[in-house]
Amino acid sequence: MAADDTDRSTPSPLSIALASVLERARPKTSGAVASYIPELALEDPDQLGIALASVRGTVHEAGDSDAEFTIQSVSKPFVFALALEQSGLAEVTRHVGLEPSGEPFNAISLDEHTGRPLNPMINAGAIVTSSLVRGDRADEKFSVISAGLSAFAGRSLDVDEAVFASEQATGDRNRALAYLARSAGTLASTAEVATTAYFRQCSLTVTARDLAIMAATLANGGVNPITRERVVSEDVARWTTAVMTSCGMYDASGEWLVRVGLPAKSGVGGGIAALQPEQFGIGTFSPRLDARGNSVRGVAVLEELSERHGLHMLEHREAPLSPIDEISVGGASSDEVAGDEVVAMLRGDLNFGNVEEVLTRLMPLLESEGRLVLDFGAVTRVGAPAVRLLLWAADAAGPAPDGLPRVELRDPDGVLDVDLAG
Ligand code: GLU
């Protein structure tokens, strides 16, 4: 297991909070362990675990967070991410769509015009996604998948061979989906190669802790917060998270988005991976499933956590602190500049909304002869698009009569030195 900052000897306050949520969900014993794959039916139904990994690399755990189970459909977004990283969005979406299906995971889902499965989170789309992964043979594709998912988890993941054999023995519906996609021209390999790679990918074993770190890697823009390895690009992490948001919880995805509001993916092994972009990933494990295939206690735990701690991604936040800390007009400067000089001290993280406020409030203070100095000394971060907008606005203001820029971006700590290429 990769080294991290976790000290497991004393439970962190967060671990205690997670444990208390687990205890509230523990009495929920409705639902049933998946049995359509016989080997899955052998799972101990009472297991219950959770882990939360922050993008800063701390992991908090409670319950059976180290219990191993098969990843099943939770592999789908991560393999989708690997395919996107390898081939790009345009090529991947030639083969699989991005629309929620509202149908069960094993639905016969092929668009009648394009032949594409509706999305990569249902079996038909996931099998097509696995077929896109580099390699001609199933073992070549699977070794790319296994290495990629291990990089997301920050440790080497193994296959549960008994579950794999059971998937192979009972996977005719998945084979049928693969043959249909093949006949529609959207499968990128033979049906046999795609389904073998897919069955092995579903049979990789993980823990709730692994799922938390995998999800945290997406939350962290594609960089594993424990190993610090970049696994996929920021764009790929965002696209993958978007598809989890709309399609991750089988045919309960819309309801999940309203009630929990976290991009997530569940699997019939009882796992759920959920994330809050820029903050954390969560993994839960409890094998009893509801009628739609989602873990009953996993859903209950995430619902409760989201409600208790205000984790819904669309939660309304109070009006943020103004990015303009202080404005001084004239006299404040000893520079020999013509006309009045307005100096505005800016602060905090500047996103698009904050830059909009800066420009809308401050540009009218610019006298025809004067200058506006935007001081970034107390600014913590400016994203590339916001820097572009600022540079454009400063450039458009042109020079003052004395030749100095009318809008000066004073940046003592270099927060504006961001990569503007992307
Ligand atoms: N291996 C499973 C199947 O394709 C994955 C299903 C799931 O977790 O939704 O049948």
Side-chain angles (χ1 to χ4, degrees), residues 112-407:
E112 57 178 306
H113 302 297
T114 62
R116 298 179 311 172
L118 275 178
N119 70 67
M121 301 295 113
I122 52 174
N123 287 10
I127 293 167
V128 166
T129 308
S130 302
S131 82
L132 290 170
V133 171
R134 189 170 297 119
D136 293 330
R137 299 192 317 258
D139 63 334
E140 291 170 343
K141 288 190 191 298
F142 177 68
S143 64
V144 174
I145 290 172
S146 154
L149 267 55
S150 296
F152 270 110
R155 73 174 184 108
S156 176
L157 302 177
D158 297 320
V159 169
D160 181 327
E161 295 293 347
V163 171
F164 172 64
S166 203
E167 299 249 6
Q168 285 269 59
T170 57
D172 284 343
R173 189 178 174 98
N174 283 327
R175 290 192 186 89
L177 295 174
Y179 278 111
L180 279 175
R182 177 83 174 160
S183 71
T186 47
L187 199 75
S189 68
T190 66
E192 186 57 28
V193 163
T195 50
T196 304
Y198 170 75
F199 291 144
R200 279 193 90 65
Q201 130 195 355
C202 289
S203 308
L204 283 166
T205 58
V206 289
T207 63
R209 179 188 165 87
D210 292 326
L211 294 186
I213 295 170
M214 294 171 83
T217 301
L218 292 176
N220 198 29
V223 174
N224 183 310
I226 308 287
T227 63
R228 305 273 163 211
E229 179 187 353
R230 172 163 292 287
V231 184
V232 292
S233 70
E234 274 182 27
D235 283 347
V236 165
R238 189 177 66 253
W239 297 329
T240 304
T241 304
V243 174
M244 291 169 81
T245 308
S246 55
C247 311
M249 297 298 281
Y250 303 116
D251 43 337
S253 298
E255 189 171 336
W256 171 269
L257 186 54
V258 170
R259 289 189 192 285
V260 181
L262 294 173
K265 184 71 199 88
S266 66
V268 295
I272 301 178
L275 63 128
Q276 175 69 272
E278 296 183 357
Q279 292 189 41
F280 56 79
I282 299 180
T284 62
F285 170 50
S286 181
R288 287 194 198 89
L289 309 179
D290 63 21
R292 282 143 152 186
N294 295 316
S295 163
V296 172
R297 293 195 293 195
V299 168
V301 161
L302 282 155
E303 247 183 56
E304 166 108 14
L305 265 181
S306 175
E307 186 152 333
R308 249 197 221 187
H309 300 291
L311 305 183
H312 197 295
M313 64 190 292
L314 301 175
E315 177 90 3
H316 177 72
R317 323 230 178 259
E318 289 309 309
L321 205 61
S322 168
I324 304 164
D325 189 20
E326 208 182 302
I327 302 174
S328 48
V329 183
S333 157
S334 57
D335 293 350
E336 306 98 55
V337 287
D340 277 334
E341 184 174 84
V342 176
V343 180
M345 299 296 300
L346 308 180
R347 65 182 169 194
D349 274 15
L350 298 193
N351 56 18
F352 175 83
N354 283 335
V355 171
E356 183 272 335
E357 184 181 345
V358 167
L359 296 178
T360 308
R361 274 186 56 200
L362 299 180
M363 292 302 268
L365 302 181
L366 194 58
E367 300 286 338
S368 57
E369 299 270 285
R371 301 181 65 229
L372 171 64
V373 177
L374 302 179
D375 191 314
F376 290 80
V379 167
T380 41
R381 197 172 73 116
V382 197
V387 173
R388 276 190 219 108
L389 185 55
L390 284 161
L391 291 174
W392 169 80
D395 192 50
D402 57 8
L404 287 168
R406 295 184 71 216
V407 175

